[in-house]
Amino acid sequence: MPHLSSLSSLSANADRRRWMSLLVVCMAQLMIVLDTTIVNVALPSIQHDLHFTQGNLTWVIDAFLVTFGSFLLLAGRLGDLLGRKRVFLLGLTVFTIASVLCGVAPSQGFLIGARFLQGIGAALQASVILAIIVTEFPEPADRARAMSAYVFVSVAGGSLGLLAGGVLTEALSWHWIFFVNVPIGIATLALGRALVPSDRGLGLQHGIDWLGSILVTVALMIGIYAIVQATSHGWASAQVLGFGALSLVLLGAFGLLESRLENPIMPLRILSVGGLVGSSVVRGFLVTGMYSTFFLGTLYLEHIRHLSALDTGLAYMPWTITVAILSLGVTSRLVARFGPTRVLLGGMVAVIGGLMLLTTTGPHTAFFPTIGVSFFLIGLGIGTAFMPLLQIAMASVPAADAGLGSGIVNVSQQISGAIGLAVLSTIATNHTKSLAAGGISATDALIGGYHLAFTIGAVVVAVGIVTALVVLRTRREAPSADAAPARALHPVPADGPAFENLALDLLDLDLAAALEAESDDEHDFSLPFDSEPVPTGVDVEGY
């Protein structure tokens, strides 16, 4: 049976290739996540060398945040239209070049401009990473494992960034927190060209909705700018309210425009995908409550416990290791056994437990068991909640809209994280000042502010649980014909042999028939970073 043997060999090669492509996109995701935390550690050195004021220093973080968050939807849709591989590689190129520019920055304006460019590159690649994963891994078990790897990289990269930032800044200089992206970016770009499957995209034969593209990008940019300015100007300030209102008006105009166009940049049909919209709402509550831990928890460790940046990164190891273990297939097996919604709810309960445990910490609390167990519980929650949320979100997104769906997932996380941290930081600051005014010591007042923020974060996650119970449903039905799992018959790189494409098409048809025969046993779950920099010299009035 030489013919069957050849087909089997081709199938095995294709399978190895798609898992290697997962490694590539996870490397790209790691670069983005590293960048969101590694820069925070180096802010004091950057401020000293480039003579930033405290107010201007925030733009080293905010410049990246504004462009990253605002370009995600546009970049995701461009991936659908122009081809996800093309947009992914473009994003990698822009991000790597911008990292070089950041590293050689001789002035404040040059660094901030390079950070704006870096955010655009990050948005281009991040917006299509999930789309590549869901189209390359249509089988539920494989997709669960692939998404577990994605979640692990997204979470572990945060604590790795603290470690790497401390080491690079202390051993070399702040310039190297950006230069470290260069070899990773070049290697990922080379591997991406070779391993990420080519796809043709929908094309631009019907034109592109440039007005809608500009409206949604500007609206998100202004809205995120309003959010990041809230911590310094106050939520009721004219600046925040004015920019926030302008953002809402532009979003309304964008929605009206899209409803009247034949070929919009964001087809409004995507909002009828219940799993995508419902999971985005739940993700918003989870991220809003959970992100307070990483940033306010870092403040507690550095300014109350007086840990170095390196020791702070090590303190998050229970969190990181737990997510790593869960990503080795534990979460995917739990989802297969109990369904994504039940696993999601269990993870959110664990996050609440970790946040509430942090409200018991004091200036002399031992790392074990209190702090270590709290970080373990939050890691347990992240590792068991985010992968099911991703699975629910992308399960029923049509393949043609997978890039846009990926962009919506990223936008919901980015904006809710920014809002959550801005709100909880403001609450913590105001409570700290109130306690200090009542005669409480500076240390106890800071701890009191952190505790209140952790408590409110836990309440927000609890609201997310109630929301999940209401808006997420599990249904047993066959996948729709145009759902994202249909992988367009293994798109093959342009230089791939035609016989391989034909052989894989035949294998897909055989696999489809086998899956159809077993459809009664399948489940379709159809319904359902990045803030102000961590201050380094916090006092009661300054924080």
Side-chain angles (χ1 to χ4, degrees):
M1 304 283 287
H3 182 64
L4 290 179
S5 177
S6 298
L7 289 178
S8 177
S9 176
L10 287 171
S11 177
N13 289 336
D15 192 58
R16 283 194 296 271
R17 183 168 185 159
R18 67 177 181 148
W19 285 106
M20 290 298 294
S21 71
L22 174 66
L23 176 63
V24 173
V25 297
C26 283
M27 286 173 62
Q29 180 68 15
L30 179 62
M31 289 173 59
I32 298 170
V33 177
L34 276 174
D35 200 78
T36 61
T37 54
I38 198 172
V39 177
N40 281 290
V41 179
L43 285 175
S45 298
I46 294 174
Q47 182 177 20
H48 178 268
D49 286 359
L50 298 183
H51 311 291
F52 275 96
T53 65
Q54 189 63 37
N56 289 339
L57 185 64
T58 63
W59 278 103
V60 177
I61 300 293
D62 293 344
F64 178 89
L65 170 64
V66 167
T67 50
F68 180 36
S70 59
F71 275 86
L72 281 169
L73 279 180
L74 173 59
R77 191 55 180 166
L78 287 177
D80 294 331
L81 297 175
L82 302 177
R84 289 154 203 147
K85 179 176 182 178
R86 182 181 298 177
V87 172
F88 175 72
L89 295 178
L90 175 62
L92 271 173
T93 302
V94 172
F95 187 88
T96 304
I97 293 173
S99 296
V100 175
L101 296 177
C102 288
V104 301
S107 64
Q108 298 179 21
F110 193 99
L111 178 59
I112 291 173
R115 288 288 283 168
F116 274 118
L117 183 62
Q118 199 177 31
I120 294 174
L124 286 169
Q125 54 184 308
S127 64
V128 295
I129 286 175
L130 269 181
I132 292 172
I133 291 175
V134 299
T135 53
E136 280 303 299
F137 296 92
E139 299 83 3
D142 286 347
R143 180 182 292 184
R145 287 194 292 270
M147 286 188 171
S148 290
Y150 170 83
V151 170
F152 167 65
V153 169
S154 300
V155 175
S159 52
L160 181 60
L162 291 177
L163 287 170
V167 171
L168 291 172
T169 303
E170 293 176 11
L172 298 171
S173 70
W174 65 265
H175 302 275
W176 285 92
I177 67 170
F178 298 111
F179 288 147
V180 73
N181 289 327
V182 178
I184 301 175
I186 292 174
T188 306
L189 188 61
L191 292 172
R193 289 179 62 88
L195 296 173
V196 174
S198 295
D199 59 301
R200 293 183 178 84
L202 300 175
L204 300 178
Q205 61 269 26
H206 300 297
I208 187 169
D209 174 18
W210 289 111
L211 180 57
S213 302
I214 294 171
L215 272 177
V216 71
T217 302
V218 173
L220 289 173
M221 186 176 294
I222 292 174
I224 294 171
Y225 174 78
I227 293 168
V228 299
Q229 291 299 298
T231 53
S232 55
H233 294 279
W235 287 94
S237 66
Q239 183 172 0
V240 172
L241 292 177
F243 280 112
L246 178 59
S247 175
L248 292 176
V249 169
L250 291 176
L251 284 174
F254 169 72
L256 183 62
L257 174 67
E258 299 304 276
S259 68
R260 297 184 175 185
L261 292 180
E262 182 179 351
N263 188 38
I265 192 70
M266 191 183 89
L268 296 185
R269 65 176 179 271
I270 195 72
L271 299 180
S272 65
V273 180
L276 178 63
V277 176
S279 65
S280 295
V281 174
V282 175
R283 183 183 298 103
F285 285 115
L286 176 59
V287 169
T288 297
M290 184 204 70
Y291 269 27
S292 65
T293 312
F294 196 80
F295 292 95
L296 297 180
T298 298
L299 288 178
Y300 166 77
L301 292 173
E302 290 188 354
H303 300 302
I304 304 299
R305 298 299 307 281
H306 305 294
L307 298 185
S308 66
L310 185 59
D311 289 338
T312 298
L314 290 172
Y316 281 94
M317 283 299 102
W319 174 325
T320 305
I321 292 172
T322 302
V323 176
I325 293 172
L326 291 169
S327 69
L328 296 176
V330 176
T331 302
S332 59
R333 286 193 291 271
L334 289 173
V335 169
R337 174 67 179 85
F338 300 105
T341 304
R342 290 189 181 93
V343 176
L344 163 66
L345 294 175
M348 296 177 77
V349 170
V351 170
I352 292 174
L355 288 170
M356 292 309 298
L357 196 55
L358 284 175
T359 65
T360 67
T361 55
H364 306 294
T365 302
F367 183 78
F368 286 107
T370 306
I371 300 173
V373 171
S374 68
F375 284 174
F376 160 75
L377 287 173
I378 295 171
L380 179 66
I382 294 171
T384 54
F386 272 81
M387 192 278 281
L389 272 176
L390 290 174
Q391 194 170 26
I392 293 170
M394 302 300 292
S396 297
V397 175
D401 298 329
L404 180 59
S406 176
I408 290 174
V409 168
N410 279 288
V411 167
S412 71
Q413 182 163 316
Q414 191 76 8
I415 292 181
S416 57
I419 292 175
L421 190 61
V423 170
L424 293 174
S425 295
T426 302
I427 290 172
T429 300
N430 292 339
H431 191 57
T432 294
K433 292 179 179 180
S434 176
L435 292 174
I440 303 296
S441 68
T443 297
D444 289 340
L446 280 172
I447 293 174
Y450 300 152
H451 285 179
L452 180 59
F454 293 142
T455 301
I456 294 176
V459 172
V460 171
V461 177
V463 173
I465 291 177
V466 175
T467 304
L469 291 171
V470 173
V471 303
L472 301 184
R473 295 289 184 271
T474 301
R475 296 189 302 174
R476 292 172 58 92
E477 62 181 28
S480 62
D482 60 347
R487 199 159 41 117
L489 295 178
H490 292 280
V492 171
D495 57 350
F499 173 74
E500 180 181 354
N501 193 28
L502 174 60
L504 291 177
D505 286 354
L506 292 172
L507 287 173
D508 269 332
L509 293 174
D510 291 340
L511 178 60
L515 289 176
E516 184 177 0
E518 296 176 2
S519 62
D520 289 340
D521 296 327
E522 296 295 327
H523 292 76
D524 175 40
F525 304 101
S526 305
L527 290 176
F529 191 85
D530 319 42
S531 67
E532 297 297 321
V534 177
T536 57
V538 176
D539 56 27
V540 173
E541 293 298 319
Y543 181 75

